[in-house]
Amino acid sequence: MKKSHLNPFLVSGYIGEHFFCDRKAETKQLIDNINGNINSNLFAIRRIGKTGLIKHVFSKLEKQKKAICIYTDIFATRNIKEFTNNLATAIYNKIPEHKSLSVQVTEFIKRLRPVISYDSLTGTPEVSIELSNTVAYQKTIQQLFDFLNHQKLKIVIAIDEFQQITNYPEKNIEAFLRTHIQSLDNTVFIFCGSHQKLMHQIFNDTKRPFYASCATVGLDLIARKEYASFIAKHFNENKRNLSSSALDFILDWTMCHTYYTQMLCNRIFENYQGKISIENVMETCSKLHSQEESTYYLYRSMLTTAQWNLLKAIAAEEMVDKPNSKQFQHKHQLGAISSVNRGLASLLEKELIHKITNVPQPYYTINDKFLLRWLQRK
């Protein structure tokens, strides 16, 4: 497919470097860690592009034939059984890409006596292993790790939404994984997560097994200058002339947050050709709000009046460094400080807001930038 026939502003997946914006420093850091046999802890707020970054790194490594890269997302898993099946499925689905390993992996997986089914939507194989107890699943995970570790090429395993293991009912999962991972000499891990508090606890609490076991790789917003250049290039390549005021509006409105910037550019690209004005961009923003409005009203029904008012106050300020200050409280008529503190805790738990801490002055902001702009209109 020619590039001109493809919307270049992807909102999911990865199809190549040409459609991937920046992340040069983070890419180099992850590859350096992998080459040095150093495990990485990659934290990023939701929808900022961590999965795309992993796929980008994997693409570079596999083009150089330096590693076998395995990606698995464990967000939907609820226990060690589902973790094991998720991992086994990810390994099994790498077989077609590495013919030299195909027979070995197939025979190894078959020894585990799995049930192989196929996803009704994607058609991809899914491995299901039925065992009697937690110890049996732990032994299977160890066997999977050991099998991969003895391959000729380096193995890189990315486990996305790694914080999910803290919700498993089985005890000592962190200790079990840490014990076996640290013995591997040809397998490198990237542990990714989007839940700030839980990821911090796993990797920075001195009493937890994974403390000081990984190099931390932070993922911040893409620099405005880099993003502006990327957006302008792709519009120009496809004979669309985006005005400078329209480009500035896009980056201001989305606050350079990857998913929301990509989605807005995707819709503009799809709906307009030739010269594209700031009015065209604003019209697209309005359409996006109309599409999502029922979801926003659902949020309102889920929150107490105090929580909703606090959310609106944060939206009005965009970035709030002192949400429990008297000035903020009085300005937005939020009631007692204790009520504000409870509201903050609830909004953080629901992941409607997050706290940015990797800056000199930490602040709270709303995760969904489209929701933020919608609240500012109300």
Side-chain angles (χ1 to χ4, degrees), residues 136-242:
Y137 283 107
Q138 290 180 339
K139 184 178 179 180
T140 300
I141 292 170
Q142 184 179 354
Q143 290 173 331
L144 288 167
F145 285 164
D146 288 343
F147 172 79
L148 291 173
N149 195 56
H150 284 91
Q151 303 310 312
K152 292 180 181 179
L153 285 176
K154 184 188 292 290
I155 305 295
V156 184
I157 301 176
I159 304 179
D160 209 347
E161 301 301 347
F162 186 66
Q163 74 278 343
Q164 188 65 20
I165 66 170
T166 63
N167 295 323
Y168 292 175
E170 297 87 2
K171 295 180 180 179
N172 301 320
I173 296 299
E174 289 177 48
F176 160 74
L177 290 174
R178 176 72 178 98
T179 297
H180 293 290
I181 285 170
Q182 68 182 355
S183 67
L184 305 175
D185 56 15
N186 193 44
T187 305
V188 183
F189 288 80
I190 304 173
F191 302 104
C192 321
S194 58
H195 194 296
Q196 186 175 27
K197 181 179 178 181
L198 293 178
M199 289 292 286
H200 179 82
Q201 289 173 348
I202 292 171
F203 293 99
N204 295 314
D205 186 334
T206 57
K207 298 178 182 178
R208 303 283 278 266
F210 275 95
Y211 173 72
S213 66
C214 302
T216 298
V217 180
L219 197 59
D220 205 346
L221 299 173
I222 295 172
R224 185 184 179 101
K225 182 178 179 181
E226 292 285 349
Y227 222 156
S229 176
F230 175 83
I231 293 168
K233 177 185 74 173
H234 281 291
F235 275 103
N236 290 335
E237 281 183 358
N238 290 278
K239 299 179 180 179
R240 289 162 171 81
N241 181 9
L242 186 69

Side-chain angles (χ1 to χ4, degrees), residues 62 68-69 90 92-102:
E62 293 193 320
I68 298 171
C69 301
Y92 188 82
N93 284 327
K94 289 299 290 189
I95 293 172
E97 299 175 28
H98 298 274
K99 294 180 181 179
S100 61
L101 275 180
S102 181

Side-chain angles (χ1 to χ4, degrees), residues 7 20 25 33 36 49 55 65 73 80 83-84 109 143 192 197 227 243 269 290 293 297 305 313 319 322 378:
N7 191 316
F20 185 79
N33 289 350
K55 298 294 179 67
K65 298 183 179 180
D73 184 339
I80 193 168
F83 177 93
T84 306
I109 294 289
Q143 290 173 331
C192 321
K197 181 179 178 181
Y227 222 156
S243 71
F269 184 93
S290 296
E293 198 159 46
Y297 282 122
T305 300
M319 297 180 290
K322 296 178 181 178
K378 299 298 173 180

Side-chain angles (χ1 to χ4, degrees), residues 279-335:
E279 287 76 20
N280 297 141
V281 174
M282 293 173 72
E283 182 180 0
T284 305
C285 294
S286 181
K287 288 179 179 177
L288 285 168
H289 274 163
S290 296
Q291 293 168 10
E292 297 296 328
E293 198 159 46
S294 60
T295 302
Y296 301 153
Y297 282 122
L298 179 61
Y299 289 158
R300 189 170 72 176
S301 69
M302 292 167 49
L303 301 176
T304 66
T305 300
Q307 291 166 357
W308 183 253
N309 289 339
L310 176 59
L311 192 67
K312 288 179 65 176
I314 295 172
E317 302 288 337
E318 297 186 7
M319 297 180 290
V320 181
D321 59 346
K322 296 178 181 178
N324 40 22
S325 68
K326 289 186 177 179
Q327 181 181 4
F328 181 72
Q329 171 200 10
H330 290 315
K331 179 179 179 180
H332 298 282
Q333 299 180 343
L334 296 174

Side-chain angles (χ1 to χ4, degrees), residues 303 307 341-353:
L303 301 176
Q307 291 166 357
N341 288 334
R342 287 194 299 272
L344 280 173
S346 178
L347 294 176
L348 285 167
E349 183 66 27
K350 293 179 173 66
E351 297 191 61
L352 287 171
I353 65 171

